[in-house]
Amino acid sequence: MTRGLECYDCGYTSDDQTESRCRCGESLWFSTDTNEFAWPTEAWTNGMWRYADVLPVSKPVGVTPGGTPLVRADRLDEYAGCRLSLKVEAQNPTGSFKDRGSAVGVRHATEIGRDWVGTVSHGNMALSTSAYAAAAGLECAVFVPAETPEQRLELIARHDPHIFRVEGDYGRLYEQTLALEAPITFVNSDTPLRVAGQKTVAYEICEQLAPSVPDAIVLPISSGGQASGVWTALRELEAAGLIDDLPRLYGVQAAACDPIATAYREGRESVTAVDAAETIAVSIANSDPPSGTRALAAARATDGAVVSVSDDATRKAMDRLATAVGLSVEPSSAVALAGVRKLSDAGELAADDEVVTILTGSGYKERYETDVESRTKTIDLEALEAELEGILEGSEGDVSRQTNDR
Ligand SMILES: *Cc1c(COP(=O)(O)O)cnc(C)c1O
Ligand SMILES: [Zn+2]
């Protein structure tokens, strides 16, 4: 049911599935005919492949992404200021939503007879693309900024792709790989194949909540690839008659690197590069996002917004997720919850709004500054019983552990 590539902005269409940029400069995405589409009868164990009919590839590859849980997190409602559900994308095979796009991109490369795939990434996407390339038996070229931490490179190197640490401008590197003549399928963050895979998260959210439709979806934004995927999926579901109203799309960025939020705040039509400072949200620190303007258009077209949050607010949100819901996520995911709180404080989200936040990536890949000292106690074995009595008494009347205060 996939027809070809199309530009959301100027309407240009193309049948060449290896293109990624429109003549107008914007990114292309796949156009999909969903007139015949109904919720699949396929098992949820098939993950994202239950939507194979609306994808540009016909068969799975590697460990199945998707089919991730949607958790109603009522213990966080008061903190969030709305009725909150969490889409746990950390549960994908390599720990982030990137697996959905990598699977489609790698599978497409094999279908058109290519031996190589490639990507330009700060971390999660390189890890994911390398893993799916390994599963398909393809060669993989990974381009990362020269200053990428060893710890992250070590995770990627396990799948043994060709890793290039590139010195020079990341935005130019990104565009140059897409313009290469070489027979390598580049599945960069906002390329059509990746966006097609990543749209399945919104299909899942809507199917998991059907027949009701969330009032809002809140997600972290870096390149704008995932936001584009979610937007195109919602448009497709509306065209298929499976949802009546589009949820409002809200993007959240780290204040230290927020080109899209800045353009939104200033009422601009397009996103331009900003000078970025350091942030703990490393996976979303793109100062020159290739699909920034498309993500901005998605927020505006759905009556949403793009906001940014401080690292401090992100740390608090990350802690809430870990201590009140039992979910360890990376800072780049926690920004979305910090964003929810900011949006409800600003009156954008109401207490009875059904809001879905996408938790994009796992917190089990890197070390964060958790205060182990204040959260542990060394005791003598002989003192075991006395210690337990002490904490049981101390916790009386405190069973809720005060998770719901604002
Ligand atoms: C890639 C990534 C994002 C941002 O996605 P874009 O498609 O680049 O906007 C958010 N969170 C995590 C954990 C990521 O890896
Ligand atoms: Zn165009």
Side-chain angles (χ1 to χ4, degrees):
M1 283 193 257
T2 298
R3 289 182 295 210
L5 298 175
E6 158 187 278
C7 174
Y8 77 98
D9 195 27
C10 74
Y12 166 83
T13 57
S14 166
D15 288 330
D16 179 357
Q17 299 201 342
T18 62
E19 278 185 35
S20 40
R21 290 284 178 268
C22 181
R23 292 167 303 184
C24 78
E26 283 299 286
S27 303
L28 299 169
W29 62 23
F30 280 94
S31 67
T32 306
D33 178 1
T34 50
N35 284 330
E36 306 279 298
F37 183 80
W39 293 126
T41 51
E42 216 97 337
W44 277 97
T45 47
N46 288 344
M48 64 176 275
W49 301 113
R50 67 195 272 101
Y51 308 113
D53 278 354
V54 287
L55 293 175
V57 293
S58 57
K59 288 211 180 69
V61 62
V63 184
T64 296
T68 58
L70 184 71
V71 182
R72 176 72 182 91
D74 51 357
R75 279 163 63 76
L76 284 177
D77 282 358
E78 204 167 323
Y79 174 79
C82 57
R83 293 172 54 81
L84 185 72
S85 295
L86 306 168
K87 182 67 170 160
V88 191
E89 287 294 282
Q91 201 155 308
N92 280 300
T94 73
S96 83
F97 74 87
K98 298 288 198 309
D99 290 340
R100 297 175 184 268
S102 303
V104 169
V106 167
R107 176 67 208 176
H108 192 267
T110 64
E111 286 184 8
I112 63 172
R114 288 200 162 155
D115 297 326
W116 281 80
V117 293
T119 198
V120 174
S121 164
H122 285 105
N124 282 332
M125 194 164 56
L127 174 64
S128 172
T129 307
S130 314
Y132 281 85
L138 297 187
E139 296 290 336
C140 182
V142 163
F143 298 86
V144 297
E147 68 278 8
T148 304
E150 288 292 317
Q151 202 186 8
R152 221 170 297 153
L153 291 176
E154 196 262 327
L155 291 175
I156 302 163
R158 282 182 206 170
H159 301 291
D160 201 19
H162 303 258
I163 303 177
F164 300 94
R165 308 162 84 154
V166 184
E167 307 195 347
D169 183 72
Y170 187 80
R172 270 183 48 213
L173 166 67
Y174 187 97
E175 293 303 324
Q176 274 183 22
T177 56
L178 297 182
L180 289 173
E181 294 287 335
I184 303 179
T185 295
F186 271 92
V187 227
N188 293 359
S189 23
D190 77 329
T191 47
L193 290 166
R194 182 166 293 285
V195 169
Q198 284 164 191
K199 76 178 179 179
T200 56
V201 71
Y203 270 77
E204 285 181 16
I205 289 170
C206 290
E207 188 178 359
Q208 285 166 314
L209 287 175
S212 89
V213 180
D215 295 297
I217 297 178
V218 185
L219 71 163
I221 307 191
S222 179
S223 70
Q226 189 187 34
S228 302
V230 168
W231 190 29
T232 196
L234 296 175
R235 288 159 52 128
E236 287 166 7
L237 291 173
E238 188 184 37
L242 292 173
I243 57 173
D244 293 332
D245 291 311
L246 258 56
R248 308 191 301 275
L249 285 186
Y250 291 97
V252 189
Q253 302 204 281
C257 182
D258 67 344
I260 309 172
T262 300
Y264 179 82
R265 237 180 359 251
E266 295 176 354
R268 282 195 268 120
E269 284 303 309
S270 61
V271 175
T272 48
V274 294
D275 289 328
E278 294 260 305
T279 168
I280 57 168
V282 289
S283 297
I284 57 166
N286 190 331
S287 60
D288 187 12
S291 272
T293 300
R294 190 162 60 177
L296 183 67
R300 289 223 177 96
T302 57
D303 277 329
V306 186
V307 296
S308 54
V309 295
S310 69
D311 277 6
D312 202 36
T314 296
R315 276 194 199 92
K316 289 193 177 118
M318 205 166 133
D319 193 54
R320 288 296 173 128
L321 287 164
T323 58
V325 200
L327 285 169
S328 178
V329 299
E330 66 170 284
S332 299
S333 303
V335 292
L337 178 58
V340 167
R341 189 173 158 95
K342 180 166 182 172
L343 288 163
S344 56
D345 279 346
E348 280 270 348
L349 299 175
D352 61 353
D353 274 350
E354 297 282 352
V355 177
V356 175
T357 294
I358 305 183
L359 297 180
T360 48
S362 168
Y364 293 119
K365 288 185 201 164
E366 286 184 21
R367 299 188 54 206
Y368 307 109
E369 297 145 15
T370 311
D371 186 2
V372 176
E373 206 51 46
S374 74
R375 291 184 174 185
T376 58
K377 186 174 187 183
T378 306
I379 61 162
D380 196 275
L381 180 53
E382 305 307 322
L384 183 62
E385 218 156 305
E387 287 287 346
L388 277 182
E389 260 166 41
I391 55 167
L392 287 174
E393 264 163 39
S395 71
E396 259 168 43
D398 181 31
V399 278
S400 76
R401 298 193 67 202
Q402 296 170 350
T403 47
N404 265 337
D405 60 311
R406 282 183 63 87

